Amino acid sequence: MAADTGGGNTDAQGGPVRHIPVLLREVLTALEPAPSQLIVDGTFGAGGYTAAILEAGASVTGFDRDPEAIANGAEMVAASGGRLKLVHAQFSHLLDHVEEASLDGLVLDIGVSSMQIDEAERGFSFMRDGPLDMRMAQAGISAADVVNRAKASDLTRIFGILGEERHAGRIARAIEAERAKHPFSTTRQLAGLIEKVSPRRPQDKIHPATRVFQALRTYVNDELGELATALFAAEKALKPGGRLVVVTFHSLEDRIVKRFFQDRSGKASGSRHLPAMEERKATFTAIGKQPVVAGPEECEANPRARSAKLRAGLRSTAPAGPAGSDILPVPNLVALGG
């Protein structure tokens, strides 16, 4: 799976970039796939990680919420000799499809696939005019639903928190005024308004619409909530000695993964003003120095790797810890019904 915009440092949602699995060598080093092992690729995408894991001799169960990714992987399944199974499901539903303590490894590459970005009809890119959609699963509320129905105050929080957009309020108010005359239906329509409200300055490295599109995509697909749920599920699904490897492209995602490993390794910091927390046995220990980032050569070859961060942990024999939204920094945003 290729990276997304990664915190707004590049125009990643613009032009086409061929599929290149990010940090592939580093992922394999942390994952250590081997014959007879069962490994889950929670974000199958175009199968970049899966192909390398199969080549190492392991069996793979690949998850993807995008039905097109599953369909496109049929040829790889047929060629795998029974070592690859694809599941059309969100990776947060991991435990509906694998047994607890059954996995030798699990890898997650968080972000939008380059294939999705490059397809105008999916509505992820502001550089290709298409329906304002952004739904990875091709079901549920779309980006157009959010833009046309959410209150300006809620749009401000979505853009400000999920996109870290400093002009969130100004853009939200402009959207509210414009949609009263012409509801939003296309990517260029929204990007055009943002360009007027927040024009690009000479020193800006990214397009003015980058952060808003990133925020909408993250909200529509509940990416942060999905990630948090998947981390708790992975903890239960991995056997002792199993390896969890997560690649993120945005500071909000990395913060959640970092906090998870801190909490599960017993290194989460508490407040000196609060009672001491009950000490729990660590369920993960860090694999190598973290975070791992892409080197200059990979960044040059694949600009989407520039903001990638890899964190990995080795599962201990301790029972899984408690799961709860209070443990990980997932923003509480308004729910918009279907």
Side-chain angles (χ1 to χ4, degrees):
M1 199 171 191
D4 67 331
T5 56
N9 295 323
T10 69
D11 272 331
Q13 289 182 340
V17 176
R18 66 184 180 87
H19 174 76
I20 306 173
V22 174
L23 291 173
L24 177 60
R25 181 181 60 189
E26 292 82 357
V27 165
L28 294 177
T29 297
L31 199 60
E32 292 190 355
S36 79
Q37 288 188 344
L38 175 59
I39 293 176
V40 160
D41 182 348
T43 45
F44 176 73
Y49 291 155
T50 288
I53 295 167
L54 289 171
E55 188 175 346
S59 295
V60 178
T61 298
F63 286 74
D64 207 296
R65 66 165 78 179
D66 188 340
E68 290 186 15
I70 298 298
N72 291 339
E75 186 174 340
M76 187 180 292
V77 172
S80 71
R83 291 192 295 120
L84 173 59
K85 173 186 176 183
L86 294 184
V87 180
H88 178 212
Q90 297 162 222
F91 54 65
S92 62
H93 295 174
L94 173 70
L95 292 175
D96 293 338
H97 303 275
V98 304
E99 298 292 328
E100 292 191 13
S102 66
L103 302 182
D104 297 286
L106 189 151
V107 59
L108 297 173
D109 177 355
I110 309 303
V112 66
S113 163
S114 59
M115 299 177 299
Q116 293 167 334
I117 291 175
D118 294 343
E119 295 174 4
E121 63 270 19
R122 300 300 298 274
F124 287 98
S125 174
F126 48 75
M127 298 299 287
R128 292 175 180 77
D129 196 19
L132 190 57
D133 194 324
M134 303 191 191
R135 296 173 296 177
M136 291 180 182
Q138 302 185 32
I141 64 166
S142 68
D145 293 328
V146 179
V147 169
N148 289 318
R149 290 165 46 189
K151 297 178 182 177
S153 57
D154 292 328
L155 289 176
T156 298
R157 282 178 51 77
I158 291 169
F159 301 158
I161 295 174
L162 299 183
E164 299 178 326
E165 170 55 60
R166 59 194 180 98
H167 299 306
R170 182 195 305 173
I171 294 170
R173 290 189 294 273
I175 287 173
E176 184 179 48
E178 180 65 21
R179 72 189 184 190
K181 299 178 288 184
H182 305 286
F184 289 87
S185 60
T186 70
T187 54
R188 281 307 309 161
Q189 184 184 3
L190 177 59
L193 176 71
I194 296 170
E195 288 170 347
K196 293 178 182 177
V197 174
S198 181
R200 188 169 190 166
R201 301 170 301 175
Q203 65 268 35
D204 290 342
K205 296 181 179 180
I206 62 171
H207 188 280
T210 299
R211 294 188 176 91
V212 169
F213 271 62
Q214 173 184 284
L216 284 171
R217 191 207 75 220
T218 302
Y219 178 85
V220 164
N221 297 290
D222 187 26
E223 292 178 32
L224 301 185
E226 282 285 303
L227 172 59
T229 303
L231 293 173
F232 293 130
E235 182 181 36
K236 293 182 178 180
L238 287 166
K239 62 176 65 170
R243 292 166 176 262
L244 174 59
V245 181
V246 188
V247 178
T248 61
F249 300 88
H250 187 273
S251 59
L252 295 177
E253 300 159 353
D254 181 60
R255 201 173 302 151
I256 289 172
V257 178
K258 180 180 179 181
R259 173 68 184 185
F260 174 79
F261 280 129
Q262 285 178 335
D263 182 82
R264 286 348 200 198
S265 66
K267 296 180 181 179
S269 58
S271 170
R272 61 187 179 88
H273 301 295
L274 296 175
M277 295 183 294
E278 181 182 352
E279 191 171 327
R280 289 184 280 109
K281 290 185 178 180
T283 58
F284 282 97
T285 55
I287 298 174
K289 185 179 179 181
Q290 301 188 27
V292 176
V293 298
E297 289 185 7
E298 181 172 4
C299 291
E300 181 67 25
N302 183 9
R304 290 175 179 164
R306 291 174 185 165
S307 55
K309 291 184 179 180
L310 182 154
R311 296 184 187 273
L314 184 69
R315 185 71 170 88
S316 74
T317 58
S325 58
D326 57 323
I327 297 174
L328 302 181
V330 178
N332 184 20
L333 298 170
V334 63
L336 194 66

